[in-house]
């Protein structure tokens, strides 16, 4: 086949030169076939070796024992650096879950020595892990570990903490850029693997999301004050700062992006309204809990749905908005002395989590987080307005 394909193009070469070129082409094809065979072998191994979600607790315990046996938690194979990634709460927690899934399943999170592809432990045993808890600020000035995590969450998973991690942007980037794509590729190999990864994601995130008593009490009081009832529809609409997590645009590009954003926001609101109306008719629910970074959305939804009560948790006091960072901006979460902002966000997440029907977007990290927290029964009533909630793990 090679000779017949290449002969017309190689006619100008001498016989010996053609022979060497054909040899090189043969070697290249052979290498490609070997790579394909290795990929298929790795796929077969991944599918047969990936543990079931029921093994989460045992593997977590094994990993923690491995870390505790070290002289210093900072010597663990995997240091979870996601708290230093300068994005929003949903992105941080989803990234942390990806790293933990790869480490505990034995498929290899980014280690402190290297972050090349392939399982770090050939026998698929868990890696030793520790949570980075350096009491300092990330590149945006936030102190996510001390201001969000320590103030509002219990370490229910019992993760060992390293107090002297590399807090640089590059250190967190290397882990995120390795672990997220790797877990996504793994989950896309088969429906069975996708279901296993989704189950692990639920286990990790529900274990991580353990609020302290005072935080849980504040959230319960805020939601009780809304009188949502037992069954209600939870809606997440985000307009604001997603674009700010990428590079800034020039003025013309920004104006073009703004026009597209306005069109998208309008169509999103229309689609949301339609889905709410369908849920109201199907379940007979007359109450909507709205979580949004745009307070004007409440009035827009209420005008479009006059027979439904649309409710929203109390926003951060207006005087906070005199700060340079909008209180609902991703960089405000975990900022110094901003627990009001943290509590407002956590109230939104829990309110959506508890809803009978959840409507949001799978392209949103917060939307994916809420869906991952929900039980199998609740997932039957999840509605994404774009990509599926579990399509980007």
């Amino acid at each position: 086949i090679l000779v017949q394909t290449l002969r017309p193009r190689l006619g100008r070469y001498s016989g010996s030169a053609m022979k060497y070129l054909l040899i090189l082409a043969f070697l290249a094809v052979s290498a490609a076939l070997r790579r394909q065979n290795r990929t298929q072998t790795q796929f077969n191994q991944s599918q047969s070796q990936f543990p079931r979600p029921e093994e989460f607790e045992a593997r977590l315990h094994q990993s923690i024992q491995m870390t505790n046996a070290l002289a210093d938690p900072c010597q663990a194979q995997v240091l979870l650096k996601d708290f230093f990634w300068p994005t929003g709460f949903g992105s941080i927690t989803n990234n942390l879950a990806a790293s933990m899934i790869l480490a505990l399943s034995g498929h290899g999170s980014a280690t402190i020595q290297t972050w090349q592809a392939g399982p770090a432990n050939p026998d698929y045993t868990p890696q030793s892990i520790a949570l980075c808890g350096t009491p300092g600020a990330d590149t945006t000035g936030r102190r996510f570990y001390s201001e969000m995590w320590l103030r509002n969450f219990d370490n229910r998973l019992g993760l060992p903490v390293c107090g002297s991690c590399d807090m640089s942007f590059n250190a967190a980037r290397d882990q995120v850029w390795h672990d997220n794509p790797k877990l996504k590729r793994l989950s896309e190999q088969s429906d069975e693997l996708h279901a296993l990864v989704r189950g692990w994601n639920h286990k990790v995130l529900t274990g991580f999301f353990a609020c302290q008593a005072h935080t849980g009490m504040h959230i319960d009081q805020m939601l009780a004050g809304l009188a949502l009832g037992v069954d209600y529809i939870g809606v997440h609409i985000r307009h604001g700062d997603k674009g700010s997590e990428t590079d800034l645009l020039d003025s013309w590009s920004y104006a073009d992006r703004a026009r597209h954003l306005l069109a998208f926001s309008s169509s999103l609101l229309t689609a949301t309204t339609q889905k709410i109306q369908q849920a109201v008719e199907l379940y007979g629910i007359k109450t909507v809990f709205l979580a949004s970074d745009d307070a004007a959305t409440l009035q827009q939804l209420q005008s479009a749905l006059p027979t439904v009560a649309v409710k929203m948790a109390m926003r951060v006091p207006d005087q906070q908005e005199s700060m340079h960072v909008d209180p609902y901006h991703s960089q405000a979460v975990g900022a110094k002395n901003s627990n009001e902002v943290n509590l407002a966000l956590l109230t939104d997440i829990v309110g959506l989590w508890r809803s009978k029907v959840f409507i949001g977007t799978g392209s949103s990290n917060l939307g994916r987080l809420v869906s991952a927290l929900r039980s199998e029964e609740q997932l039957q009533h999840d509605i994404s307005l774009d990509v599926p909630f579990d399509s980007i793990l």
Side-chain angles (χ1 to χ4, degrees), residues 154-198:
D154 285 325
N155 188 359
R156 189 170 69 187
L157 296 178
L159 295 173
V161 177
C162 169
S164 58
C165 285
D166 178 2
M167 295 176 57
S168 68
F169 172 83
N170 290 344
R173 178 200 62 192
D174 288 349
Q175 188 168 62
V176 170
W177 285 9
H178 168 268
D179 288 357
N180 276 3
K182 182 175 182 178
L183 186 64
K184 178 175 171 58
R185 290 194 302 270
L186 187 66
S187 70
E188 290 175 343
Q189 290 179 359
S190 72
D191 291 341
E192 180 183 358
L193 272 172
H194 187 85
L196 289 173
V197 171
R198 185 178 61 211

Short mmCIF file of all heavy atoms in Angstrom, two decimals, residues 154-198:
data_model
loop_
_atom_site.label_atom_id
_atom_site.label_comp_id
_atom_site.label_asym_id
_atom_site.label_seq_id
_atom_site.Cartn_x
_atom_site.Cartn_y
_atom_site.Cartn_z
N ASP A 154 -15.93 21.93 57.84
CA ASP A 154 -15.23 20.94 58.64
C ASP A 154 -14.45 20.03 57.71
O ASP A 154 -14.92 19.72 56.60
CB ASP A 154 -16.23 20.09 59.44
CG ASP A 154 -16.80 20.83 60.64
OD1 ASP A 154 -16.05 21.63 61.24
OD2 ASP A 154 -17.99 20.62 60.95
N ASN A 155 -13.30 19.58 58.17
CA ASN A 155 -12.50 18.63 57.39
C ASN A 155 -13.02 17.22 57.67
O ASN A 155 -12.35 16.39 58.28
CB ASN A 155 -11.02 18.75 57.76
CG ASN A 155 -10.11 17.93 56.85
OD1 ASN A 155 -10.58 17.24 55.93
ND2 ASN A 155 -8.82 17.97 57.10
N ARG A 156 -14.24 16.97 57.20
CA ARG A 156 -14.90 15.70 57.50
C ARG A 156 -14.17 14.52 56.85
O ARG A 156 -14.24 13.40 57.36
CB ARG A 156 -16.35 15.74 57.02
CG ARG A 156 -17.18 14.54 57.48
CD ARG A 156 -18.66 14.75 57.21
NE ARG A 156 -18.95 14.72 55.77
CZ ARG A 156 -20.14 15.01 55.26
NH1 ARG A 156 -21.13 15.38 56.06
NH2 ARG A 156 -20.34 14.95 53.96
N LEU A 157 -13.47 14.76 55.77
CA LEU A 157 -12.74 13.68 55.11
C LEU A 157 -11.45 13.34 55.85
O LEU A 157 -10.83 12.31 55.58
CB LEU A 157 -12.41 14.08 53.67
CG LEU A 157 -13.61 14.28 52.73
CD1 LEU A 157 -13.14 14.73 51.35
CD2 LEU A 157 -14.44 13.00 52.63
N GLY A 158 -11.04 14.21 56.78
CA GLY A 158 -9.83 13.95 57.55
C GLY A 158 -8.56 14.10 56.75
O GLY A 158 -7.55 13.42 57.02
N LEU A 159 -8.55 14.99 55.75
CA LEU A 159 -7.38 15.14 54.90
C LEU A 159 -6.21 15.74 55.68
O LEU A 159 -6.37 16.76 56.36
CB LEU A 159 -7.70 16.07 53.72
CG LEU A 159 -8.75 15.56 52.72
CD1 LEU A 159 -9.10 16.66 51.72
CD2 LEU A 159 -8.25 14.31 51.99
N PRO A 160 -5.02 15.14 55.60
CA PRO A 160 -3.83 15.77 56.19
C PRO A 160 -3.59 17.12 55.51
O PRO A 160 -3.92 17.29 54.33
CB PRO A 160 -2.70 14.77 55.90
CG PRO A 160 -3.39 13.48 55.62
CD PRO A 160 -4.70 13.84 54.99
N VAL A 161 -3.01 18.06 56.23
CA VAL A 161 -2.81 19.41 55.70
C VAL A 161 -1.33 19.74 55.66
O VAL A 161 -0.61 19.57 56.66
CB VAL A 161 -3.55 20.46 56.56
CG1 VAL A 161 -3.27 21.87 56.04
CG2 VAL A 161 -5.05 20.18 56.56
N CYS A 162 -0.86 20.21 54.50
CA CYS A 162 0.51 20.71 54.34
C CYS A 162 0.48 22.22 54.49
O CYS A 162 -0.24 22.90 53.76
CB CYS A 162 1.07 20.31 52.98
SG CYS A 162 2.63 21.12 52.55
N GLY A 163 1.25 22.75 55.42
CA GLY A 163 1.23 24.18 55.68
C GLY A 163 2.29 24.97 54.96
O GLY A 163 2.45 26.18 55.22
N SER A 164 3.02 24.35 54.05
CA SER A 164 4.09 25.07 53.34
C SER A 164 4.13 24.69 51.87
O SER A 164 5.17 24.30 51.35
CB SER A 164 5.44 24.79 54.01
OG SER A 164 5.71 23.40 54.02
N CYS A 165 3.00 24.80 51.21
CA CYS A 165 2.92 24.46 49.78
C CYS A 165 3.47 25.59 48.92
O CYS A 165 3.49 26.75 49.33
CB CYS A 165 1.48 24.20 49.38
SG CYS A 165 0.82 22.61 49.91
N ASP A 166 3.85 25.22 47.71
CA ASP A 166 4.19 26.21 46.69
C ASP A 166 2.88 26.86 46.25
O ASP A 166 2.01 26.21 45.68
CB ASP A 166 4.89 25.52 45.53
CG ASP A 166 5.24 26.48 44.39
OD1 ASP A 166 4.96 27.69 44.53
OD2 ASP A 166 5.79 26.02 43.38
N MET A 167 2.72 28.15 46.52
CA MET A 167 1.47 28.84 46.22
C MET A 167 1.48 29.55 44.87
O MET A 167 0.57 30.31 44.56
CB MET A 167 1.17 29.87 47.31
CG MET A 167 0.90 29.27 48.67
SD MET A 167 0.68 30.55 49.92
CE MET A 167 -0.68 31.48 49.22
N SER A 168 2.48 29.30 44.07
CA SER A 168 2.58 30.00 42.80
C SER A 168 1.46 29.60 41.85
O SER A 168 0.89 28.51 41.95
CB SER A 168 3.93 29.70 42.14
OG SER A 168 4.00 28.35 41.73
N PHE A 169 1.16 30.50 40.93
CA PHE A 169 0.14 30.22 39.92
C PHE A 169 0.51 29.00 39.10
O PHE A 169 -0.33 28.15 38.80
CB PHE A 169 -0.01 31.44 39.02
CG PHE A 169 -0.90 31.21 37.82
CD1 PHE A 169 -2.28 31.30 37.94
CD2 PHE A 169 -0.36 30.88 36.58
CE1 PHE A 169 -3.10 31.08 36.84
CE2 PHE A 169 -1.16 30.67 35.48
CZ PHE A 169 -2.54 30.77 35.62
N ASN A 170 1.79 28.88 38.74
CA ASN A 170 2.23 27.77 37.89
C ASN A 170 2.02 26.43 38.58
O ASN A 170 1.68 25.43 37.93
CB ASN A 170 3.70 27.93 37.51
CG ASN A 170 3.92 29.07 36.54
OD1 ASN A 170 2.97 29.54 35.91
ND2 ASN A 170 5.15 29.52 36.40
N ALA A 171 2.23 26.37 39.90
CA ALA A 171 2.09 25.10 40.62
C ALA A 171 0.64 24.62 40.57
O ALA A 171 0.37 23.44 40.31
CB ALA A 171 2.55 25.27 42.05
N ALA A 172 -0.30 25.53 40.82
CA ALA A 172 -1.71 25.16 40.75
C ALA A 172 -2.13 24.87 39.32
O ALA A 172 -2.88 23.92 39.05
CB ALA A 172 -2.58 26.28 41.33
N ARG A 173 -1.62 25.65 38.37
CA ARG A 173 -1.97 25.46 36.96
C ARG A 173 -1.55 24.09 36.47
O ARG A 173 -2.33 23.40 35.78
CB ARG A 173 -1.29 26.54 36.12
CG ARG A 173 -1.55 26.42 34.61
CD ARG A 173 -0.51 27.16 33.82
NE ARG A 173 0.82 26.61 34.05
CZ ARG A 173 1.94 27.21 33.66
NH1 ARG A 173 1.89 28.38 33.07
NH2 ARG A 173 3.11 26.63 33.88
N ASP A 174 -0.35 23.65 36.81
CA ASP A 174 0.14 22.36 36.33
C ASP A 174 -0.78 21.22 36.78
O ASP A 174 -1.06 20.30 36.02
CB ASP A 174 1.56 22.11 36.83
CG ASP A 174 2.59 22.99 36.13
OD1 ASP A 174 2.23 23.64 35.13
OD2 ASP A 174 3.75 23.03 36.59
N GLN A 175 -1.25 21.30 38.03
CA GLN A 175 -2.13 20.24 38.53
C GLN A 175 -3.48 20.29 37.83
O GLN A 175 -4.00 19.26 37.39
CB GLN A 175 -2.30 20.38 40.04
CG GLN A 175 -3.06 19.21 40.67
CD GLN A 175 -2.96 19.23 42.18
OE1 GLN A 175 -3.42 20.16 42.82
NE2 GLN A 175 -2.37 18.19 42.75
N VAL A 176 -4.06 21.48 37.72
CA VAL A 176 -5.37 21.61 37.09
C VAL A 176 -5.31 21.20 35.62
O VAL A 176 -6.18 20.46 35.13
CB VAL A 176 -5.89 23.06 37.22
CG1 VAL A 176 -7.14 23.27 36.37
CG2 VAL A 176 -6.19 23.38 38.68
N TRP A 177 -4.30 21.66 34.90
CA TRP A 177 -4.19 21.37 33.48
C TRP A 177 -3.89 19.91 33.20
O TRP A 177 -4.16 19.41 32.11
CB TRP A 177 -3.13 22.27 32.85
CG TRP A 177 -3.58 23.69 32.67
CD1 TRP A 177 -4.73 24.25 33.15
CD2 TRP A 177 -2.91 24.72 31.96
NE1 TRP A 177 -4.80 25.57 32.81
CE2 TRP A 177 -3.70 25.90 32.07
CE3 TRP A 177 -1.71 24.79 31.27
CZ2 TRP A 177 -3.32 27.10 31.50
CZ3 TRP A 177 -1.34 26.00 30.69
CH2 TRP A 177 -2.14 27.14 30.80
N HIS A 178 -3.34 19.21 34.17
CA HIS A 178 -3.11 17.78 34.00
C HIS A 178 -4.34 16.97 34.40
O HIS A 178 -4.81 16.11 33.64
CB HIS A 178 -1.91 17.32 34.85
CG HIS A 178 -1.79 15.83 34.94
ND1 HIS A 178 -2.38 15.11 35.96
CD2 HIS A 178 -1.17 14.92 34.15
CE1 HIS A 178 -2.11 13.82 35.79
NE2 HIS A 178 -1.38 13.68 34.71
N ASP A 179 -4.88 17.24 35.58
CA ASP A 179 -5.89 16.35 36.15
C ASP A 179 -7.25 16.46 35.47
O ASP A 179 -7.90 15.44 35.22
CB ASP A 179 -6.03 16.64 37.65
CG ASP A 179 -4.83 16.15 38.44
OD1 ASP A 179 -3.93 15.54 37.83
OD2 ASP A 179 -4.78 16.37 39.67
N ASN A 180 -7.72 17.68 35.20
CA ASN A 180 -9.05 17.82 34.59
C ASN A 180 -9.15 17.14 33.22
O ASN A 180 -10.06 16.35 32.99
CB ASN A 180 -9.42 19.30 34.49
CG ASN A 180 -10.02 19.81 35.79
OD1 ASN A 180 -10.10 19.10 36.77
ND2 ASN A 180 -10.41 21.07 35.79
N PRO A 181 -8.22 17.43 32.28
CA PRO A 181 -8.32 16.75 30.98
C PRO A 181 -8.16 15.24 31.10
O PRO A 181 -8.81 14.49 30.37
CB PRO A 181 -7.17 17.38 30.17
CG PRO A 181 -6.89 18.68 30.84
CD PRO A 181 -7.16 18.44 32.29
N LYS A 182 -7.30 14.80 32.01
CA LYS A 182 -7.07 13.36 32.15
C LYS A 182 -8.34 12.66 32.63
O LYS A 182 -8.72 11.61 32.11
CB LYS A 182 -5.92 13.10 33.12
CG LYS A 182 -5.61 11.61 33.28
CD LYS A 182 -4.39 11.40 34.14
CE LYS A 182 -4.06 9.92 34.25
NZ LYS A 182 -2.84 9.67 35.05
N LEU A 183 -9.00 13.22 33.64
CA LEU A 183 -10.23 12.61 34.14
C LEU A 183 -11.32 12.66 33.08
O LEU A 183 -12.11 11.71 32.95
CB LEU A 183 -10.69 13.33 35.41
CG LEU A 183 -11.89 12.69 36.12
CD1 LEU A 183 -11.54 11.29 36.62
CD2 LEU A 183 -12.37 13.55 37.28
N LYS A 184 -11.39 13.74 32.33
CA LYS A 184 -12.38 13.85 31.26
C LYS A 184 -12.16 12.77 30.21
O LYS A 184 -13.11 12.09 29.79
CB LYS A 184 -12.32 15.24 30.63
CG LYS A 184 -13.31 15.44 29.47
CD LYS A 184 -13.28 16.87 28.97
CE LYS A 184 -14.09 17.04 27.70
NZ LYS A 184 -15.49 16.64 27.87
N ARG A 185 -10.89 12.59 29.77
CA ARG A 185 -10.60 11.55 28.79
C ARG A 185 -10.95 10.16 29.33
O ARG A 185 -11.50 9.32 28.62
CB ARG A 185 -9.12 11.59 28.40
CG ARG A 185 -8.71 12.79 27.56
CD ARG A 185 -7.34 12.57 26.93
NE ARG A 185 -6.32 12.33 27.94
CZ ARG A 185 -5.59 13.28 28.51
NH1 ARG A 185 -5.80 14.56 28.19
NH2 ARG A 185 -4.67 12.98 29.40
N LEU A 186 -10.66 9.94 30.58
CA LEU A 186 -10.95 8.66 31.20
C LEU A 186 -12.45 8.39 31.23
O LEU A 186 -12.91 7.30 30.88
CB LEU A 186 -10.38 8.64 32.62
CG LEU A 186 -10.44 7.32 33.39
CD1 LEU A 186 -9.54 6.28 32.74
CD2 LEU A 186 -10.00 7.54 34.84
N SER A 187 -13.22 9.41 31.60
CA SER A 187 -14.66 9.22 31.73
C SER A 187 -15.34 9.04 30.37
O SER A 187 -16.44 8.48 30.29
CB SER A 187 -15.29 10.41 32.46
OG SER A 187 -15.27 11.58 31.65
N GLU A 188 -14.70 9.50 29.30
CA GLU A 188 -15.29 9.41 27.97
C GLU A 188 -14.99 8.09 27.26
O GLU A 188 -15.49 7.85 26.16
CB GLU A 188 -14.79 10.57 27.09
CG GLU A 188 -15.34 11.94 27.53
CD GLU A 188 -14.74 13.08 26.73
OE1 GLU A 188 -13.70 12.86 26.08
OE2 GLU A 188 -15.31 14.19 26.77
N GLN A 189 -14.22 7.21 27.89
CA GLN A 189 -13.83 5.98 27.23
C GLN A 189 -14.98 4.98 27.10
O GLN A 189 -15.00 4.16 26.19
CB GLN A 189 -12.64 5.34 27.96
CG GLN A 189 -11.36 6.13 27.78
CD GLN A 189 -10.19 5.50 28.53
OE1 GLN A 189 -10.33 4.49 29.19
NE2 GLN A 189 -9.03 6.12 28.42
N SER A 190 -15.92 5.02 28.02
CA SER A 190 -17.08 4.13 27.94
C SER A 190 -18.17 4.65 28.86
O SER A 190 -17.91 5.44 29.78
CB SER A 190 -16.70 2.69 28.34
OG SER A 190 -16.47 2.61 29.74
N ASP A 191 -19.39 4.19 28.63
CA ASP A 191 -20.50 4.59 29.50
C ASP A 191 -20.28 4.08 30.92
O ASP A 191 -20.65 4.76 31.89
CB ASP A 191 -21.82 4.03 28.95
CG ASP A 191 -22.25 4.69 27.65
OD1 ASP A 191 -21.74 5.80 27.36
OD2 ASP A 191 -23.06 4.10 26.92
N GLU A 192 -19.68 2.90 31.05
CA GLU A 192 -19.44 2.34 32.37
C GLU A 192 -18.45 3.20 33.15
O GLU A 192 -18.67 3.52 34.33
CB GLU A 192 -18.89 0.91 32.26
CG GLU A 192 -18.63 0.26 33.63
CD GLU A 192 -18.02 -1.12 33.51
OE1 GLU A 192 -17.85 -1.60 32.38
OE2 GLU A 192 -17.72 -1.73 34.55
N LEU A 193 -17.35 3.59 32.49
CA LEU A 193 -16.37 4.45 33.17
C LEU A 193 -16.97 5.81 33.51
O LEU A 193 -16.69 6.37 34.57
CB LEU A 193 -15.13 4.63 32.29
CG LEU A 193 -14.04 3.56 32.44
CD1 LEU A 193 -12.97 3.74 31.38
CD2 LEU A 193 -13.42 3.63 33.83
N HIS A 194 -17.79 6.33 32.61
CA HIS A 194 -18.43 7.63 32.88
C HIS A 194 -19.29 7.55 34.14
O HIS A 194 -19.27 8.45 34.99
CB HIS A 194 -19.27 8.04 31.68
CG HIS A 194 -19.82 9.44 31.78
ND1 HIS A 194 -19.09 10.55 31.41
CD2 HIS A 194 -21.00 9.90 32.25
CE1 HIS A 194 -19.81 11.64 31.61
NE2 HIS A 194 -20.98 11.27 32.12
N ALA A 195 -20.05 6.46 34.28
CA ALA A 195 -20.90 6.29 35.45
C ALA A 195 -20.06 6.13 36.72
O ALA A 195 -20.42 6.66 37.78
CB ALA A 195 -21.81 5.08 35.27
N LEU A 196 -18.93 5.42 36.62
CA LEU A 196 -18.06 5.24 37.78
C LEU A 196 -17.46 6.58 38.22
O LEU A 196 -17.43 6.90 39.42
CB LEU A 196 -16.94 4.25 37.45
CG LEU A 196 -17.35 2.77 37.31
CD1 LEU A 196 -16.18 1.93 36.81
CD2 LEU A 196 -17.87 2.22 38.63
N VAL A 197 -16.98 7.36 37.26
CA VAL A 197 -16.39 8.66 37.60
C VAL A 197 -17.44 9.59 38.20
O VAL A 197 -17.18 10.31 39.16
CB VAL A 197 -15.74 9.29 36.35
CG1 VAL A 197 -15.31 10.73 36.62
CG2 VAL A 197 -14.54 8.47 35.89
N ARG A 198 -18.64 9.56 37.65
CA ARG A 198 -19.72 10.39 38.18
C ARG A 198 -20.04 10.00 39.63
O ARG A 198 -20.25 10.85 40.49
CB ARG A 198 -20.97 10.25 37.31
CG ARG A 198 -22.12 11.17 37.72
CD ARG A 198 -23.30 11.00 36.78
NE ARG A 198 -23.80 9.64 36.80
CZ ARG A 198 -24.36 9.02 35.76
NH1 ARG A 198 -24.44 9.64 34.60
NH2 ARG A 198 -24.81 7.79 35.87
#
